[in-house]
Amino acid sequence: MSEPTRQFDIGTLGGTTPPQDTRENRRPVAWNSGADLGMLLLRLGVGGLFLAHGVQKVFGLWGGLGLDETGRIIGDYGFSSASTLAWALGVGELLLGALLVVGLFTPLAAAGLLAVKAAAITVKWGGPFFAADAVNAMELDVALAAGAAALLFVGAGRIALDNGRTWQRRPLPWALLCLVVGAGVAVGVLFGLR
């Protein structure tokens, strides 16, 4: 049988005693090593792919096209100064991908790489989506953009050179600031050089 209800005074309303609060018995939600390991794997995968694409564009290694052919493809999408843009794209993917891999300046690196993929998706819009349908489809661009966006908002994790930095302790304000900068760069490239 339950305990009889007791009255208590909360001004003129009256009422019954509230049930016992059991929150003091709950363990606080703690950061766990599984999340840190997951973020490390995401950084290695996404950053490593961007790094490899940068090496392909800049040095022509691993079956890459090199700067000249990359510049020609960029020119085919309607960009002016295609050779300069190819150089900036290749070096940007290489350096920002390396920063993601080691977990340094993660919000800025992720926002820069997200801007690269947002521009790529924009110029390919309306074309084939799946890689099985065409060589230069949007599927990989969307996947890499999603990975960069995830890293932008969650940060690098504790297994990173960013561990303990301000943008690691408070990732959302820094993510939003870097997102605005990255979006500005993407819009500038899309509308200023195309």
Side-chain angles (χ1 to χ4, degrees), residues 9-144:
D9 186 25
I10 56 169
T12 59
L13 297 175
T16 59
T17 54
Q20 288 289 13
D21 189 11
T22 59
R23 281 188 252 184
E24 66 271 358
N25 296 333
R26 293 182 185 172
R27 287 182 26 203
V29 177
W31 198 261
N32 64 47
S33 57
D36 292 324
L37 185 59
M39 285 183 269
L40 172 66
L41 293 173
L42 184 61
R43 280 192 355 254
L44 291 175
V46 172
L49 281 173
F50 275 111
L51 175 70
H53 286 191
V55 168
Q56 287 180 319
K57 286 176 180 72
V58 174
F59 302 112
L61 299 175
W62 302 325
L65 302 174
L67 287 174
D68 293 334
E69 186 65 19
T70 301
R72 186 194 62 72
I73 291 171
I74 289 173
D76 290 346
Y77 280 114
F79 287 97
S80 61
S81 306
S83 61
T84 304
L85 196 55
W87 181 85
L89 175 64
V91 171
E93 283 184 340
L94 195 147
L95 293 178
L96 295 175
L99 287 174
L100 267 190
V101 167
V102 298
L104 183 62
F105 304 115
T106 303
L108 190 60
L113 294 171
L114 180 58
V116 166
K117 289 304 164 188
I121 292 167
T122 301
V123 298
K124 293 178 183 179
W125 194 258
F129 181 80
F130 294 106
D133 296 336
V135 174
N136 206 11
M138 288 191 299
E139 181 179 15
L140 181 62
D141 296 319
V142 170
L144 288 175

Side-chain angles (χ1 to χ4, degrees), residues 1-8 15-19:
M1 208 161 146
S2 67
E3 223 179 276
T5 58
R6 289 176 266 172
Q7 299 290 329
F8 69 96
T16 59
T17 54

Side-chain angles (χ1 to χ4, degrees), residues 157-169:
R158 290 185 293 181
I159 309 170
L161 294 177
D162 275 346
N163 189 16
R165 297 184 192 273
T166 303
W167 50 86
Q168 183 67 19
R169 291 190 313 268

